[in-house]
Amino acid sequence: MMNEGRCFVIGDIHGCIEELEILLNSLAPGSDDTVVFLGDYVDRGPDSKAVVDRLIRLQGEVGRCVFLKGNHEDMFLAFAGQPGHHGQAFLYNGGDATLRSYGLEGYVGPALWERLPDDHKLFFLRLVLHYRSGDFLCVHAGLNPAQPLDGQSEEDLLWIRGEWIRASHNYGFTVLFGHTPMRMPFVHWPYKIGLDTGLVYGNALTCFETSERRFWQVRRGETQVREWIPNRVIPMP
């Protein structure tokens, strides 16, 4: 039986492999730890394929990896002829950068899907919509506060923004979410914490360590992970 370890929840990456590597090397998750990713691994950034390669390898390095589906993965699946939604919007939302990273520009539908590496196809097909860890629920975009937990639609879990961010809720846990980029973590305690801090737009990749209630960040183009605390930043040991 696995010992109780740390749990790290990481926001939207969008193809930014260098900052992902720096964060993982600094956190150094081990065989007792869980690492949860909130989705949006692909599109817009410099190397979506390298990000997926790294996440696949990470499964053999830590106790547990949880990969949520983001709206960008859902669009990619639909664009590649697999179950998904809004595939027609894939290229307009940074999908051209993803195809370029795979060397598959111009491909679409089954012709694209069959050319993806087999382990990447399995990765995309196994993405999940939510994950519960103690007092926290992890989703990509958020929840529809007007609906019960068991009445949430996949569309809301992947796409909701304003009505979720503005509302409180009584679900009984703190929701960790990404999807909506902000300049700093959005902390609406005890209801929700937003962890998409706009890495691909030049800001930062953010991680929340649930067991210690601490935030870790690496800023775009930097090489040091720092602890984020409201109003001050402390270098990570």
Side-chain angles (χ1 to χ4, degrees):
M1 183 176 180
M2 188 173 68
N3 294 329
E4 188 70 25
R6 301 171 296 171
C7 179
F8 301 103
V9 182
I10 298 175
D12 303 36
I13 302 166
H14 281 301
C16 297
I17 182 61
E18 292 184 5
E19 290 78 12
L20 174 62
E21 289 280 17
I22 290 165
L23 180 65
L24 291 174
N25 289 339
S26 187
L27 296 176
S31 59
D32 293 336
D33 298 330
T34 298
V35 187
V36 183
F37 294 89
L38 294 176
D40 282 4
Y41 316 111
V42 302
D43 297 349
R44 297 194 175 118
D47 203 336
S48 295
K49 180 180 183 295
V51 167
V52 177
D53 277 332
R54 184 67 187 94
L55 297 179
I56 291 170
R57 294 199 310 273
L58 186 66
Q59 295 175 95
E61 301 170 9
V62 304
R64 175 184 295 170
C65 284
V66 179
F67 303 114
L68 299 192
K69 180 192 286 186
N71 61 305
H72 283 261
E73 286 75 50
D74 196 50
M75 287 188 288
F76 185 31
L77 283 164
F79 185 80
Q82 303 304 302
H85 306 86
H86 310 299
Q88 73 281 2
F90 172 68
L91 292 177
Y92 299 103
N93 283 277
D96 55 334
T98 298
L99 297 183
R100 192 159 53 247
S101 73
Y102 281 96
L104 294 174
E105 294 169 279
Y107 288 94
V108 64
L112 167 61
W113 185 251
E114 69 183 17
R115 287 168 173 80
L116 295 176
D118 287 343
D119 54 350
H120 286 228
K121 289 189 281 190
L122 193 60
F123 174 86
F124 288 116
L125 291 174
R126 286 181 170 177
L127 298 174
V128 299
L129 292 173
H130 50 77
Y131 176 73
R132 180 77 181 268
S133 177
D135 297 329
F136 298 93
L137 178 74
C138 303
V139 298
H140 175 64
L143 303 174
N144 184 338
Q147 298 295 327
L149 189 60
D150 59 2
Q152 300 292 321
S153 70
E154 184 170 340
E155 180 79 7
D156 281 333
L157 294 174
L158 297 180
W159 286 93
I160 198 166
R161 290 192 194 273
E163 59 267 50
W164 159 246
I165 291 170
R166 291 190 297 267
S168 302
H169 64 77
N170 60 357
Y171 294 123
F173 41 72
T174 301
V175 179
L176 305 177
F177 69 101
H179 183 59
T180 300
M182 304 181 189
R183 291 199 60 79
M184 62 185 67
F186 176 72
V187 182
H188 183 197
W189 191 260
Y191 305 105
K192 64 180 80 75
I193 299 175
L195 295 174
D196 181 359
T197 45
L199 172 64
V200 77
Y201 301 115
N203 198 39
L205 178 62
T206 296
C207 168
F208 181 65
E209 186 177 354
T210 64
S211 52
E212 300 295 329
R213 310 294 201 265
R214 300 172 80 178
F215 294 88
W216 305 108
Q217 284 190 334
V218 56
R219 301 194 66 81
R220 184 77 184 268
E222 294 189 0
T223 60
Q224 185 178 34
V225 172
R226 301 173 182 271
E227 184 174 2
W228 180 83
I229 300 173
N231 300 320
R232 63 195 182 108
V233 178
I234 299 174
M236 185 176 179

